[in-house]
């Protein structure tokens, strides 16, 4: 119960800081929309349906996500606020979960803005399988945020941050992206049901990285 | 830890006797009584960073309630030692006990709750107001009424009228005062002050000096690092001097002359 309260205070603090500064959400949404628009304009209408459309959406989510992970951890590095957290008598796992929740809120905000833009530009019919789309993307984003939150904390003291973070989390997230894109493709073709084996892969990815990140977060977190 | 609800006035602890070990003594002390009664007890504490030796077999003991200044030239390892004492870093070898408990990466939250730190950086969130920062940290420390305590401390550091202003709007001196309030939110038994006067003007410096003196009068153990040797010897009752990665001097400040200390830290003049 105490840990839940600590997670709530830590995540609330992140959201309050973001609400005041609006630095991350503004950047992330602009980047996401730009990616969708640039790719949408650069590809023929025949190329932006089905698998391509979901892949383009994923490109926007991935790069927007990396920006979220960097910015939310940068808040802790500024003025060594992270040291203040590490001095406090709290489980470091609570810091990880709170950061994950903050990142997920930002990523879902990104998705809420970017997805309709993609639907408009690429003319794919989301209404036919909206529930399945939300389910698949939500499970996928939890896994991606689990990986991103862990690695952003690991390398946040490094000067390479941006490039290094993308290099680390993109390959690790590849199984998630491929599985998610394939599941979405089957749905958008309209003639196939949601694959439970595919969903199991996504859920297994989430569980593995959530548990592993929770366990190792204390070891990798240095002020 | 002192009771959180009692404000800044708390019952002083009784300093307990403990021997200070000669700096040349590199053998592990055998008296377990010393490690269990001391506020801080280091035995052959060694720290290497990237294979570079920063601290080499450090031995010292600090009694509860003692006001100690840790002196040394730039790069002598003062901040590293304070970060180890705060459990933000771990010794590479040797043993360090704080209030009888060995400090490790997995130090218990109850032990961390007895330590407060004022660092080079304020450890605050610039976007949040002073009172929001203090309330947030107070909640992490489990204070029952963190906001009231935050307002008490802002009153204490003379910033009650600016409680709702974001920290980013504060001067260096004001930010430092909020940082001190943050370190005192949970009424720590051991306060680590890493150059708390850096960048402060004369009135702010005096205010921080008085705050530290008051905390010492309340019975808290204070370890202060500072570049101004004369000021440090005036404020503290005991001095530890780091030189050549070792403790070069471990004596009461009353017995020390600033010039003598300057020689020990490796400086030839002010």
């Amino acid at each position: 119960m105490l840990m839940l309260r600590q997670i709530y205070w830590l995540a609330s603090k992140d959201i309050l800081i973001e609400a005041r500064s609006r630095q991350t959400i503004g950047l992330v949404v602009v980047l996401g929309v730009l990616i969708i628009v640039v790719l949408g304009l650069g590809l023929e209408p025949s190329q932006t349906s089905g698998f391509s459309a979901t892949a383009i959406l994923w490109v926007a989510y991935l790069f927007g996500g990396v920006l979220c992970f960097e910015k939310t951890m940068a808040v802790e590095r500024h003025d060594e606020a992270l040291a203040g957290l590490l001095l406090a008598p709290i489980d470091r796992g609570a810091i990880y979960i709170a950061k994950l929740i903050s990142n997920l809120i930002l990523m879902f905000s990104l998705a809420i803005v970017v997805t309709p833009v993609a639907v408009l530009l690429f003319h794919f019919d989301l209404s036919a399988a909206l529930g399945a789309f939300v389910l698949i993307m939500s499970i996928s984003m939890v896994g991606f945020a689990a990986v991103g939150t862990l690695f952003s904390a690991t390398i946040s003291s490094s000067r390479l941050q941006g490039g290094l973070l993308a290099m680390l989390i993109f390959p690790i997230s590849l199984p998630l992206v491929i599985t998610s894109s394939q599941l979405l493709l089957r749905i958008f073709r309209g003639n196939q049901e949601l694959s439970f084996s595919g969903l199991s892969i996504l859920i297994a990815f989430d569980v593995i990285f959530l548990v592993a990140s929770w366990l190792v977060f204390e070891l990798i977190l240095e002020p | 830890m002192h009771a959180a609800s009692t404000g800044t006035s708390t019952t002083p602890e009784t300093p307990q006797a403990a021997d200070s070990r000669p700096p040349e003594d590199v053998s592990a002390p055998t008296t377990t009584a010393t490690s269990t009664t001391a506020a801080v007890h280091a035995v052959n504490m060694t720290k290497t960073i990237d294979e570079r030796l920063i601290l080499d077999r450090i031995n010292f003991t600090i009694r509860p309630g003692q006001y100690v200044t840790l002196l040394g030239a730039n790069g002598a390892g003062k901040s590293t030692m304070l970060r180890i004492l705060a459990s933000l870093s771990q010794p590479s070898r040797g043993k360090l006990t704080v209030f009888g408990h060995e400090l490790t990466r997995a130090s218990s939250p109850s032990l961390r709750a007895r330590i407060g730190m004022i660092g080079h950086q304020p450890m605050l969130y610039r976007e949040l107001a002073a009172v929001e920062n203090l309330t947030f940290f107070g909640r992490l420390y489990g204070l029952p009424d963190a906001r009231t305590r935050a307002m008490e401390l802002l009153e204490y550091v003379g910033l009650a009228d600016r409680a709702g202003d974001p920290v980013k709007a504060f001067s260096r001196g004001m930010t430092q005062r909020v940082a001190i309030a943050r370190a005192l939110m949970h009424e720590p038994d051991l306060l680590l002050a890493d150059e708390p006067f850096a960048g402060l003007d004369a009135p702010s410096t005096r205010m921080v000096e008085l705050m530290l003196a008051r905390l010492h009068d309340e019975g808290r153990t204070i370890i202060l690092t500072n570049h101004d040797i004369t000021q440090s010897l005036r404020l503290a009752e005991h001095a530890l001097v780091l030189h050549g990665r070792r403790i070069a001097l471990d004596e009461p400040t009353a017995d020390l002359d600033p010039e003598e200390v300057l020689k020990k830290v490796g400086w030839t003049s002010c």
Side-chain angles (χ1 to χ4, degrees):
Chain A
M1 198 62 190
L2 175 64
M3 183 180 277
L4 285 178
R5 280 208 301 270
Q6 289 170 345
I7 291 169
Y8 170 74
W9 291 321
L10 287 161
S12 301
K13 175 263 298 172
D14 282 343
I15 300 305
L16 184 59
I17 289 172
E18 180 54 33
R20 296 256 167 89
S21 68
R22 293 193 189 112
Q23 284 183 344
T24 308
I25 193 69
L27 278 173
V28 166
V29 166
V30 168
L31 177 70
V33 171
L34 274 176
I35 288 171
I36 298 288
V37 170
V38 168
L39 290 176
L41 293 174
L43 295 171
E44 292 289 327
S46 59
Q47 293 175 296
T48 55
S49 60
F51 190 80
S52 301
T54 57
I56 290 169
L57 261 182
W58 256 115
V59 171
Y61 295 159
L62 287 174
F63 282 98
V66 168
L67 207 54
C68 289
F69 307 146
E70 268 178 36
K71 290 285 181 186
T72 53
M73 195 45 77
V75 168
E76 304 300 340
R77 290 292 172 191
H78 208 283
D79 288 340
E80 278 198 1
L82 180 62
L85 290 188
L86 297 181
L87 283 167
I90 55 172
D91 191 311
R92 273 94 196 252
I95 301 175
Y96 171 75
I97 296 296
K99 223 24 121 182
L100 175 69
I101 291 169
S102 308
N103 283 327
L104 278 171
I105 290 172
L106 287 169
M107 286 188 67
F108 283 128
S109 306
L110 165 74
I112 287 168
V113 177
V114 164
T115 309
V117 175
V119 168
L120 285 173
L121 272 176
F122 305 144
H123 308 292
F124 66 89
D125 185 14
L126 200 61
S127 60
L130 184 62
F133 175 82
V134 171
L135 178 68
I136 292 166
M137 291 314 288
S138 300
I139 296 172
S140 304
M141 277 193 186
V142 169
F144 180 56
V147 175
T149 305
L150 176 70
F151 282 98
S152 66
T154 311
I155 64 154
S156 60
S157 56
S158 160
R159 277 181 293 178
L160 292 170
Q161 283 184 42
L164 189 59
L165 184 59
M167 280 198 297
L168 284 170
I169 64 174
F170 285 175
I172 292 171
S173 306
L174 212 55
L176 195 75
V177 176
I178 291 171
T179 309
S180 165
S181 298
Q182 285 177 343
L183 281 174
L184 289 173
L185 179 63
R186 292 159 71 99
I187 292 165
F188 289 131
R189 279 181 179 159
N191 53 357
Q192 293 183 48
E193 290 182 357
L194 191 60
S195 155
F196 285 100
S197 63
L199 270 183
S200 304
I201 293 172
L202 295 181
I203 293 168
F205 187 98
D206 287 10
V207 171
I208 289 167
F209 274 96
L210 281 171
V211 173
S213 302
W214 171 285
L215 292 175
V216 303
F217 200 69
E218 174 153 348
L219 301 173
I220 56 103
L221 207 56
E222 289 287 344
Chain B
M1 191 173 67
H2 296 287
S5 59
T6 53
T8 49
S9 298
T10 52
T11 309
E13 291 181 32
T14 308
Q16 297 172 44
D19 294 331
S20 292
R21 205 151 286 280
E24 293 79 12
D25 181 8
V26 295
S27 62
T30 53
T31 50
T32 52
T34 306
S35 63
T36 53
T37 57
V40 181
H41 184 57
V43 182
N44 289 337
M45 187 175 75
T46 300
K47 179 68 178 177
T48 54
I49 299 175
D50 296 334
E51 297 181 6
R52 193 163 54 91
L53 189 61
I54 307 295
L55 300 171
D56 183 18
R57 290 167 295 169
I58 301 286
N59 294 290
F60 66 89
T61 300
I62 295 172
R63 297 192 315 270
Q66 208 171 22
Y67 192 163
V68 176
T69 181
L70 181 61
L71 300 169
N74 285 331
K78 305 185 296 293
S79 294
T80 302
M81 191 188 283
L82 284 201
R83 290 176 83 83
I84 292 171
L85 289 171
S87 76
L88 293 174
S89 182
Q90 283 70 46
S92 307
R93 286 189 298 279
K95 189 177 171 185
L96 177 69
T97 55
V98 175
F99 299 116
H101 300 277
E102 189 166 353
L103 264 187
T104 61
R105 184 182 281 273
S107 287
S108 70
S110 59
L111 180 56
R112 272 188 271 142
R114 298 181 69 181
I115 303 171
M117 186 179 193
I118 306 163
H120 281 291
Q121 300 292 329
M123 303 180 197
L124 297 167
Y125 296 97
R126 294 165 57 83
E127 299 291 339
L128 300 185
V131 68
E132 288 170 339
N133 265 291
L134 299 188
T135 305
F136 167 68
F137 282 106
R139 284 172 175 159
L140 294 186
Y141 280 92
L143 303 188
D145 192 354
R147 196 172 177 89
T148 305
R149 172 78 179 144
M151 286 309 297
E152 280 174 10
L153 278 168
L154 285 170
E155 187 81 43
Y156 181 66
V157 299
L159 287 170
D161 56 333
R162 302 288 302 272
D165 291 358
V167 169
K168 67 181 177 186
F170 287 176
S171 67
R172 162 77 186 157
M174 291 160 77
T175 306
Q176 187 69 342
R177 278 146 64 189
V178 180
I180 291 168
R182 177 196 49 73
L184 300 180
M185 273 298 283
H186 57 295
E187 302 193 57
D189 295 322
L190 172 63
L191 181 67
L192 309 167
D194 193 2
E195 298 184 28
F197 310 111
L200 297 187
D201 58 14
S204 297
T205 298
R206 187 65 192 141
M207 181 178 276
V208 175
E209 281 184 4
L210 291 172
M211 274 183 217
L212 292 175
R214 189 165 151 185
L215 292 167
H216 177 227
D217 291 343
E218 288 173 5
R220 297 177 208 284
T221 310
I222 299 173
I223 304 178
L224 164 76
T225 71
N226 191 10
H227 281 299
D228 187 334
I229 292 172
T230 308
Q231 182 190 32
S232 292
L233 296 184
R234 175 169 54 80
L235 296 174
E237 60 185 315
H238 198 92
L240 291 171
V241 176
L242 273 172
H243 181 56
R245 305 181 190 93
R246 307 287 298 273
I247 296 284
L249 192 79
D250 182 354
E251 287 182 25
T253 51
D255 304 338
L256 293 173
D257 174 61
E259 287 299 321
E260 181 192 350
V261 177
L262 278 171
K263 286 178 190 164
K264 286 281 184 185
V265 298
W267 294 338
T268 51
S269 67
C270 291

